[in-house]
């Protein structure tokens, strides 16, 4: 991408001014560096540049912000104006450390036409100082303002500039040197136009003289009259569009006097210096004198309708109408709230039986303030599911059957495999389908039974014969309700020890001998 230059006109100095590199040119580039040029005195000198950082001076006169994409001049000074340039270089690598404030630089024609990087040039153009109007043959005097306070070491170059002025094709013509006031005698047709005074002086940081101030003059030609021999006097006559008033020719306002060919009824007459023109109303185009034709803004794409609106051309204007599904005045169209498409049905996780699946939708563009009618969710049974196999289940047990004999009969109860019955290949019920039980009553006769014998009592003697005893009870169970008592007896006795005649043969007492 080649270098670009922007010529910016500033009417008054000492004001806040912004120049910027657009985001589209540098949005993917990491660094932007701003420079300011100091123009050399003559071709044998190098130009010099100053790298501009976030703060140029202690007075915060020049700042760079928004990641160095915007350069702000808080107070414009004389040496900021054209042909001194502000240069922005967009680099693909990281910023180099700031070292020298001023460094030599040559801006060659090859670099201007074949740049090595992405560069943007900005030049401030001050308001011109108008002098005149003059006729050919008159003498014009151009003076620099006294407040510039030129030093004895300064020099002034007066140049005639072509218009339009560009960076690549600027061929000014030097017409005077080293004078603060320039007098041009015998003006010719080529003398009219722009003359610039360039003031060069020494700069404390730059070797040699550099541009420190400039002033642009406009030598205006007097188009109100024509004089014989190109000299003012009695042989002069006013040009068409002007009338004589004393020694001067003044502009005729054709619109007020209605002396001009009439503009169309819908057109407006506007006076100019020495002439007039007819202006068609807004929305129409033409010369206003012979035609005013409607401009179809819709076809040309010059309308300001919303992208979501339809443009309808009218005579001298157009109308914007929001498209279906949008609401607004046509300039701004907001999408109406509407249901989004249904989501897919949720998957079915079973292969048989019953299950539901769900789908949802969203109410879009709630910012419109509208509500969507209807439900945001929907349910349905999973399709194509067959009934699952059913295993058999037991019913509850039936009541016990009636006992025919009160104390010795048998009773029965049953259950069925019908809750539910086995179907579609299901498994049958497991377990018994009937149970048997003994009939019993709380008043049935109970026969008694002996408990186990208790232990024998200890032998009461250690020598001789003694008697020991034991017993048992008829309580395992006890006879009840006329039941039989235990047969036999519940008490027994026995002998223990040895005869006394044998005790002397015993070395020591021995265990007693128990007998019946």
């Amino acid at each position: 991408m080649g270098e670009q230059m922007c010529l910016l006109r500033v009417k008054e100095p000492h004001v806040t001014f912004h120049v910027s590199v657009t985001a589209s040119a540098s949005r993917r580039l990491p660094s932007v560096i701003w420079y300011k040029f100091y123009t050399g005195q003559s071709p044998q000198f190098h130009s010099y540049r100053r790298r501009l950082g976030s703060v140029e001076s202690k007075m915060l006169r020049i700042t760079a912000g928004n990641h160095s994409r915007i350069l702000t001049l808080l107070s414009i000074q004389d040496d900021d104006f054209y042909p001194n340039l502000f240069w922005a270089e967009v680099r693909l690598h990281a910023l180099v450390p700031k070292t020298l404030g001023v460094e030599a630089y040559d801006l060659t024609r090859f670099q201007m036409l074949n740049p090595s990087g992405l560069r943007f040039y900005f030049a401030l153009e001050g308001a011109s100082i108008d002098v005149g109007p003059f006729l050919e043959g008159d003498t014009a005097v151009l003076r620099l303002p006294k407040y510039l306070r030129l030093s004895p070491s300064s020099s002034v170059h007066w140049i005639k500039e072509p218009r339009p002025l560009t960076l690549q094709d600027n061929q000014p013509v030097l017409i005077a040197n080293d004078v603060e006031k320039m007098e041009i005698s015998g003006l010719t047709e080529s003398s009219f136009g722009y003359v610039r005074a360039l003031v060069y002086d020494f700069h404390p940081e730059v070797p040699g003289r550099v541009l420190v101030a400039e002033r642009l003059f406009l030598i205006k030609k007097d188009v109100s009259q024509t004089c014989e021999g190109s000299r003012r006097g009695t042989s002069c006559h006013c040009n068409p569009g002007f009338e004589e008033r004393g020694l001067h020719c003044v502009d005729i306002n054709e619109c007020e006097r209605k002396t001009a060919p009439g503009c169309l009824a819908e057109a407006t007459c506007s006076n100019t210096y020495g002439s007039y023109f007819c202006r068609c109303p807004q929305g129409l185009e033409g010369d206003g004198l012979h035609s005013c034709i409607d401009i179809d803004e819709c076809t040309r794409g010059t309308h300001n309708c919303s992208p979501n609106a339809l443009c309808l051309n009218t005579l001298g204007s157009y109308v914007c109408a929001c498209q279906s599904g949008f609401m607004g005045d046509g300039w701004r169209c907001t999408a109406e709230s509407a249901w989004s498409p249904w989501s897919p049905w949720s998957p079915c996780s079973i292969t048989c039986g019953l299950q539901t699946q769900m789908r949802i939708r969203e109410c879009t563009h709630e910012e419109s303030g509208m509500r969507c009618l209807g439900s945001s969710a929907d349910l349905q049974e999973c399709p194509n599911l067959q009934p699952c196999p059913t295993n058999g289940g037991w019913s509850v047990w039936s009541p016990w059957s009636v006992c025919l004999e009160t104390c010795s009969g048998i009773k029965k109860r049953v259950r069925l495999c019908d809750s539910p019955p086995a179907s579609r290949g299901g498994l049958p019920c497991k377990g018994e389908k009937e149970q048997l039980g003994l009939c019993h009553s709380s008043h049935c006769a109970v026969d008694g039974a002996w408990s186990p014998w208790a232990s024998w009592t200890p032998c009461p003697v250690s020598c001789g014969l003694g008697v020991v005893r034991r017993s048992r009870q008829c309580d395992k169970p006890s006879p009840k309700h006329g039941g039989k008592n235990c047969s036999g007896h519940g008490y027994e006795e026995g002998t223990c020890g040895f005869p006394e005649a044998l005790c002397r043969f015993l070395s020591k007492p021995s265990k007693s001998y128990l007998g019946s």
Side-chain angles (χ1 to χ4, degrees):
M1 183 174 181
E3 298 176 354
Q4 303 179 21
M5 176 183 174
C6 181
L7 186 62
L8 306 166
R9 302 191 184 278
V10 182
K11 292 184 178 180
E12 299 292 339
H14 311 293
V15 295
T16 301
F17 186 75
H18 300 271
V19 288
S20 64
V21 177
T22 59
S24 60
S26 58
R27 59 187 174 185
R28 296 187 298 271
L29 304 176
S31 61
V32 179
I33 307 175
W34 286 91
Y35 299 91
K36 182 179 178 183
F37 284 89
Y38 290 98
T39 305
Q41 180 181 6
S42 57
Q44 66 264 27
F45 289 103
H46 288 287
S47 296
Y48 285 82
R49 64 181 179 181
R50 174 188 295 275
R51 183 178 299 149
L52 304 177
S54 58
V55 177
E56 168 69 9
S57 68
K58 296 181 180 180
M59 300 301 293
L60 298 178
R61 194 179 74 82
I62 299 178
T63 62
N66 190 19
H67 304 288
S68 295
R69 290 177 180 165
I70 297 179
L71 187 71
T72 303
L73 282 70
L74 301 176
S75 177
I76 296 175
Q77 297 181 358
D78 281 322
D79 63 351
D80 291 329
F81 288 102
Y82 192 90
N84 279 349
L85 301 177
F86 293 90
W87 171 35
E89 178 178 336
V90 183
R91 297 192 175 184
L92 296 173
H93 53 78
L95 283 172
V96 296
K98 182 164 63 174
T99 53
L100 298 176
V102 177
E103 52 192 281
Y105 183 79
D106 262 335
L107 183 61
T108 65
R109 180 168 294 276
F110 177 81
Q111 286 175 308
M112 289 189 291
L113 300 178
N114 300 279
S116 60
L118 185 60
R119 298 187 181 124
F120 294 83
Y121 291 94
F122 298 86
L124 301 187
E125 175 71 281
S128 63
I129 302 174
D130 296 345
V131 291
F134 300 104
L135 293 173
E136 293 185 21
D138 288 347
T139 298
V141 178
L142 309 180
R143 293 184 179 86
L144 288 175
K146 293 183 178 180
Y147 61 80
L148 286 180
R149 297 179 182 177
L150 304 182
S151 68
S153 61
S154 64
S155 63
V156 183
H157 295 185
W158 296 85
I159 61 175
K160 183 72 170 63
E161 285 191 348
R163 280 293 188 249
L165 194 63
T166 63
L167 179 65
Q168 286 82 6
D169 187 19
N170 180 14
Q171 300 294 332
V173 177
L174 183 64
I175 56 178
N177 262 335
D178 293 333
V179 289
E180 297 182 17
K181 180 184 73 171
M182 186 178 66
E183 182 175 312
I184 305 177
S185 301
L187 293 174
T188 62
E189 184 64 31
S190 61
S191 302
F192 299 106
Y194 290 92
V195 175
R196 189 183 299 273
L198 303 176
V199 181
Y200 290 88
D201 205 345
F202 292 102
H203 191 279
E205 297 179 347
V206 181
R209 288 176 174 172
V210 293
L211 185 68
V212 295
E214 63 84 38
R215 284 298 181 271
L216 182 65
F217 295 87
L218 175 58
I219 304 176
K220 302 179 67 175
K221 182 178 181 180
D222 188 353
V223 296
S224 65
Q225 56 183 318
T226 302
C227 298
E228 295 180 6
S230 300
R231 292 187 181 276
R232 298 181 185 271
T234 57
S235 59
C236 297
H237 63 274
C238 296
N239 292 328
F242 297 90
E243 64 180 359
E244 184 177 349
R245 187 174 299 174
L247 299 177
H248 303 282
C249 293
V250 297
D251 175 56
I252 299 174
N253 191 331
E254 294 86 352
C255 298
E256 290 183 355
R257 296 188 182 184
K258 299 182 180 180
T259 58
C263 299
L264 295 177
E266 61 270 22
T268 302
C269 180
S270 298
N271 186 63
T272 61
Y273 188 69
S275 185
Y276 72 100
F277 68 92
C278 299
R279 177 179 293 145
C280 292
Q282 184 176 2
L284 303 179
E285 62 182 357
D287 58 9
L289 188 63
H290 300 94
S291 65
C292 283
I293 303 173
D294 175 56
I295 300 174
D296 190 343
E297 296 86 354
C298 301
T299 303
R300 295 189 181 184
T302 57
H303 60 84
N304 292 321
C305 295
S306 167
N308 300 313
L310 297 174
C311 178
L312 305 175
N313 186 60
T314 61
L315 182 61
S317 185
Y318 59 94
V319 177
C320 301
C322 294
Q323 299 179 13
S324 176
F326 295 85
M327 56 184 298
D329 57 5
W331 310 100
R332 298 182 60 184
C333 295
T334 304
E336 297 177 352
S337 295
W339 287 115
S340 66
W342 284 104
S343 68
W345 289 102
S346 60
C348 296
S349 59
I350 61 175
T351 58
C352 65
L354 295 176
Q355 189 182 45
T356 58
Q357 55 183 171
M358 182 176 66
R359 63 178 181 175
I360 61 174
R361 58 183 178 176
E362 292 182 350
C363 186
T364 60
H365 303 292
E366 295 181 351
E367 66 275 7
S368 66
M370 300 175 61
R371 296 180 59 186
C372 298
L373 300 179
S375 175
S376 61
D378 190 16
L379 296 175
Q380 73 171 12
E381 292 185 357
C382 291
N384 303 323
L385 289 180
Q386 300 297 325
C388 293
T390 302
N391 295 330
W394 290 110
S395 66
V396 297
W397 287 102
S398 67
W400 288 101
S401 62
V402 178
C403 291
L404 299 179
E405 298 181 9
T406 305
C407 295
S408 61
I410 296 175
K411 58 183 179 180
K412 183 175 69 173
R413 65 177 180 176
V414 296
R415 59 181 178 176
L416 301 176
C417 186
D418 62 355
S419 299
S423 63
R424 294 180 295 275
L427 299 176
C429 299
K430 293 182 179 181
E432 55 186 12
K433 65 179 180 179
E434 64 179 27
Q435 285 183 340
L436 299 177
L438 296 176
C439 294
H440 65 276
S441 174
S442 59
H443 299 289
C444 292
V446 177
D447 294 337
W450 292 108
S451 67
W453 287 101
S455 301
W456 292 98
T457 59
C459 188
V461 295
S462 59
C463 183
L465 296 174
V467 179
V468 293
R469 302 170 181 83
R470 67 177 182 178
S471 62
R472 58 182 179 179
Q473 303 296 326
C474 184
D475 59 0
K476 297 296 183 181
S478 301
K480 294 180 181 179
H481 308 300
K484 296 178 181 180
N485 207 346
C486 298
S487 61
H489 53 82
Y491 177 78
E492 287 184 341
E493 290 184 352
T495 60
C496 66
F498 298 92
E500 292 182 359
L502 298 178
C503 292
R504 66 177 178 270
F505 295 105
L506 300 174
S507 59
K508 57 181 179 179
S510 61
K511 294 181 180 180
S512 298
Y513 172 76
L514 298 178
S516 58

